[in-house]
Amino acid sequence: MSKEIPYKIYLEENEMPKSWYNLRADMKKKPAPLLNPGTHQPMTAEELSVVFCDELVKQELDNDTRFYEIPEEIRNFYKMYRPAPLVRAYCLEKKLGTPAHIYYKFEGNNTSGSHKLNSAIAQAYYAKKQGLKGVTTETGAGQWGTALSMACSYFDLDCKVFMVKVSYEQKPFRREVMRTYGASVTPSPSETTEVGKKILAEHPGTTGSLGCAISEAVEVAVGTPGYRYVLGSVLNQVLLHQSVIGLETKAALDKYGIKADVVIGCAGGGSNLGGLIAPFMGEKLRGEADYRIIAVEPASCPSLTRGVYAYDFCDTGMVCPLAKMYTLGSDFIPAPNHAGGLRYHGMSSILSELYDQGLMEARSVKQTDVFEAAEMFARVEGILPAPESSHAIRAAIDEALKCKETGEEKNIVFGLTGTGYFDMVAYEKFHDGKMDDYIPTDEELAKFRARLPKVD
Amino acid sequence: MSKEIPYKIYLEENEMPKSWYNLRADMKKKPAPLLNPGTHQPMTAEELSVVFCDELVKQELDNDTRFYEIPEEIRNFYKMYRPAPLVRAYCLEKKLGTPAHIYYKFEGNNTSGSHKLNSAIAQAYYAKKQGLKGVTTETGAGQWGTALSMACSYFDLDCKVFMVKVSYEQKPFRREVMRTYGASVTPSPSETTEVGKKILAEHPGTTGSLGCAISEAVEVAVGTPGYRYVLGSVLNQVLLHQSVIGLETKAALDKYGIKADVVIGCAGGGSNLGGLIAPFMGEKLRGEADYRIIAVEPASCPSLTRGVYAYDFCDTGMVCPLAKMYTLGSDFIPAPNHAGGLRYHGMSSILSELYDQGLMEARSVKQTDVFEAAEMFARVEGILPAPESSHAIRAAIDEALKCKETGEEKNIVFGLTGTGYFDMVAYEKFHDGKMDDYIPTDEELAKFRARLPKVD
């Protein structure tokens, strides 16, 4: 007889994960290494340590160690906002009339409003431990910048954020949250860097892009003694830290004897998806259990479903290493009407490799369908979801409706990465019928693809 | 040997309160009744039921029933966002270097961002149960309007919100959250009501006030078949519903054998404070235990510390019943530079009576001191607090610093009513040094006081 499942499963503090899980250790074919953009040779630890903290370089390159103990200082910080609840979506199930059981792992119960804090605190910790003065980063909508500001404030590190100019101007509240945590926030492109000046000279009046902000942040980190650059997604190290999401999810399910059938996550750079699925994919790789795993991306930025698996630049400025990934091309930028986040042109190398091996599915969803799902979810489950997270909601609802047709009582688990409190402009567009569903044509995608770097 | 206290104490679902506690049942001297503004006679159930739902009228007038069972539908809704955690502020204690133990009850983990949802869902439930079509209300900054929108959406009730015009224009995001939950939001004063037209004719260009929005909402409720008016604070019924905060807090403390020494809450209309302190005050009234209880209000709107205890109107339009309360006068409006919420001119009759009997303390705090406390708290505890809640943080920090001087290991418990995500304009002012500490003079207060209604 199984225990009655509560609305929210909270782990006790002593049940929280004490180690991160490195999925790469269980991959027979490992993800492709980062390459030096000049020589096309694998990046060495020495080369990477100019940009990243030493310990993070180690984590980035380590394909073998299965578990990394989470340092106590980080576990203490986690206790401030974790464990995140695993919520049984009883009200959504009822609304849909589905026999499926829907669960979501809610990562929005912290001021950064998303899962990004899980890696931010780890990266800040290692920077502090190395005796650094500060870190630099970029942020688009501001979730990552907020998370990093919080983490740096906790460890008394300086934090320099380059914020895509259009967001800096349109999202002043995110900027103020970062300032509350003591970060300096510079609109990008800026006159404070060489690459910024160059871009401004070439494109006066540009409102910036994520790729451009990355280039500025890297330049400042490399050029300022005592500073390193940190990134909130895509990298192996980030997926390692985010495995805490999946480990908690799995522990909560196991506590009630629930076996997931489908695991669903939204996918931009891959940090949430990679973290959520880690222990499930691990069992799959080891042949211990099987799960359907679904990556959900926006139809306007469809790297997995319509990109190619190739080496590409991680940034527009082409100063970063090359990563092998499903990519749309490093100068691809989603249409300006796209409000749903998940705008990165590529996808984490780990996830790209797993997808290429057929170990997970991917689907793209249209923007208005995403916001319809978001609004339905908000009304019945109470939480106003981030547009990013709502991609996963859309897919979870679609899977639950399939179960309604077939009568299957499947366990559907999805990641609710964050809240949409700073995304009300997008919701307003949706309410006012001003949102549309632009999808890039094959010709457009081919144009960006033609500019991929040539790597033998 | 006591158990180790975790960072966050979550009750299990089966430990959550099944009844609300009606503090009035334990008061020897009851709070003064509402009076008919025309006759100055106590309002009857019949008179009140024109404005409020029948069941809520019963709760409003009932000074005797100690416990009200929480209907199952409401308890199910509570499960979506409750139990709220009781958090041990380990990081704040460390930052302050105090021997005191600081705990806060965090009510911000829901989309409305505050404790207001606890009463909103109850009021919506009783409206639905009575077969009503919808409810009307007013909202200032938008917390209450958001909460009510969520509650009405859940029970499929129409929700008409009159939002103070200046907030409607300056806080478009709050408006959009309400729209997400299907509410109609009208800037007040509006041309849709007689009282609104009258105010607009007398004061063209006015940006509105809470008292004026109340008058409009009441007019529409009374004049529309199938509608009633609901209010988010001040009333006895609201304090009854909010007792869930205090009951959970007490249960969490009891679970770990912790005896509170000081209980602190911010005070506007009194809904949070009244709810938080209910079971503690109950023990005090019954002579079972003693607690210091502290109400914290803004120095710019100091109803308890500088008001008078008298009958006054609840609204500016003077259409509502008279309530006996500590009041500054119903046309008192805090200075426009006041950013910290808690703007109501009066205070719940229950709390006013308890304060008058010397059963609790009150203090007022200055705005910049409040935001300093808010920022310190955000940096060490991670949560970005609402300005309202930060009044309680200020007082808790001050008490903890006193303990540092005396070496006392007191248990300080305060209510963290909500998050400040929609208050970044106020934080921006603070960061930019544009916030000041206007405090009304005695002469100004005397002017408003002179206009109190004469009640024998």
Side-chain angles (χ1 to χ4, degrees), chain A residues 219-241:
Chain A
E219 181 186 316
V220 171
V222 171
T224 315
Y227 280 75
R228 291 293 185 283
Y229 167 73
V230 296
L231 181 66
S233 190
V234 183
L235 297 173
N236 297 338
Q237 57 185 271
V238 178
L239 268 70
L240 174 68
H241 308 147

Side-chain angles (χ1 to χ4, degrees), chain A residues 6-8 10 12-13 76 79-83 91 109-111 150 153-154 173 175-177 179-182 375 378-384 421-422 424-425 427-428 431-432, chain B residues 6-8 10 12-13 76 79-83 91 109-111 150 153-154 173 175-177 179-182 375 378-384 421-422 424-425 427-428 431-432:
Chain A
Y7 275 57
K8 289 180 289 182
Y10 280 106
E12 302 287 329
E13 272 181 18
N76 281 341
K79 285 181 195 168
M80 288 189 352
Y81 70 101
R82 308 197 69 80
C91 299
N109 271 349
N110 71 76
T111 291
M150 291 176 68
S153 163
Y154 187 76
F173 294 170
R175 186 182 74 208
E176 286 309 318
V177 179
R179 286 179 77 197
T180 301
Y181 288 94
E375 190 160 281
R379 289 189 182 188
V380 294
E381 289 289 322
I383 298 168
L384 186 89
Y421 306 137
F422 293 96
M424 295 318 297
V425 170
Y427 275 93
E428 185 175 17
H431 296 147
D432 293 342
Chain B
Y7 276 58
K8 288 180 290 182
Y10 279 106
E12 302 286 329
E13 273 181 17
N76 281 341
K79 285 181 194 168
M80 288 189 352
Y81 70 100
R82 309 197 69 80
C91 299
N109 271 348
N110 72 75
T111 290
M150 291 175 68
S153 163
Y154 187 76
F173 294 169
R175 187 181 75 207
E176 286 310 316
V177 179
R179 286 179 77 198
T180 301
Y181 287 94
E375 190 161 281
R379 290 188 181 189
V380 295
E381 288 290 321
I383 298 167
L384 186 89
Y421 305 138
F422 293 95
M424 296 317 297
V425 171
Y427 275 93
E428 186 175 16
H431 296 146
D432 292 342

